[in-house]
Every structure is written in structure tokens, then in C-alpha cells.
Amino acid sequence: MDVGKLVAVIGDEDTVSGFLLAGVGHRTADSTNFLIVKSDTKLQQVEEAFLNFSQRDDVGIILINQHIANDIRHVLKDYDQTIPTVLEIPSKEHPYDPEQDYIMQRVNMYLGGGN
């Protein structure tokens, strides 16, 4: 029987907690599929979590709060794989801005609306 892929979450405490309550969380002795980013979380830790999630065979989607994605935009711009798919999502404190979403920028470029 094939086992489905996990959803990884990088976000603020409210976002990650919501997804964990919905059943998205997965923890083993070695790793988890989520990172709670707080004000004292180092940027390097966020970058490492993204790179780790993007290289795992058991992760199919990476959800990341858009305001956190903006902090690691340099890493996201170099990411060119289809799976795991990276989706930027809003948080309670930061609304979604499609102009900052690199996937929406690429779609816009392919449709001829880009710069």
C-alpha cells in the first residue's frame, strides 16, 4: 500500500498550531514536518528547515507564511523543483499579497503580464 506524502509547515505559532490541530503534524525520533518561527528564531534555522523539507522524499507540499518566505526569498528563488510544491499562505497578522508570491510572479510572467 502506498503511503501519501506529508505537508510540511513553516510558520508562526498560530499557523503551525492550527495545522497541527488539523492533523498535519508528524514527528519521529529524528525529525518533524514543521517549524514554528518566533521572533528569536534565527534566519539560518528557517533556511535549514526549508532546505531539509525540500529534500525529503516524504514531503509533497511545503506551506510557508508569506512574511517568513519574504525573509528567505533568496533561497526560494533558487528552488526550482515541482515536488515538494511550495505554497505561500497568509497569517493572522500578515495578509496575503500576490505580488510578493514568487509562484504568482512566475504565472504572471508565463501569461505575458510580467515586467
Side-chain angles (χ1 to χ4, degrees):
M1 181 167 109
D2 286 338
V3 178
K5 294 198 179 259
L6 298 173
V7 175
V9 183
I10 301 173
D12 58 26
E13 191 167 15
D14 290 335
T15 301
V16 175
S17 297
F19 279 100
L20 293 179
L21 288 169
V24 169
H26 184 263
R27 180 184 296 266
T28 65
D30 300 326
S31 66
T32 65
N33 67 327
F34 59 90
L35 174 68
I36 297 174
V37 179
K38 298 182 180 180
S39 60
D40 61 346
T41 303
K42 291 183 171 42
L43 185 60
Q44 180 180 359
Q45 188 178 359
V46 178
E47 291 171 353
E48 288 172 357
F50 175 80
L51 293 172
N52 177 20
F53 294 151
S54 67
Q55 295 169 0
R56 286 176 49 176
D57 292 332
D58 63 340
V59 173
I61 298 174
I62 301 172
L63 300 177
I64 183 168
N65 283 136
Q66 189 173 53
H67 70 281
I68 296 168
N70 288 336
D71 293 339
I72 63 164
R73 186 67 61 200
H74 58 282
V75 176
L76 291 174
K77 285 191 184 268
D78 292 337
Y79 183 76
D80 60 358
Q81 298 176 11
T82 305
I83 296 177
T85 301
V86 178
L87 299 174
E88 296 181 21
I89 59 174
S91 69
K92 191 164 75 169
E93 302 293 325
H94 303 274
Y96 175 75
D97 181 3
E99 292 182 11
Q100 293 182 8
D101 188 335
Y102 82 106
I103 291 178
M104 292 302 294
Q105 290 171 358
R106 287 183 181 178
V107 168
N108 196 26
M109 181 183 70
Y110 288 127
L111 294 177
N115 294 331

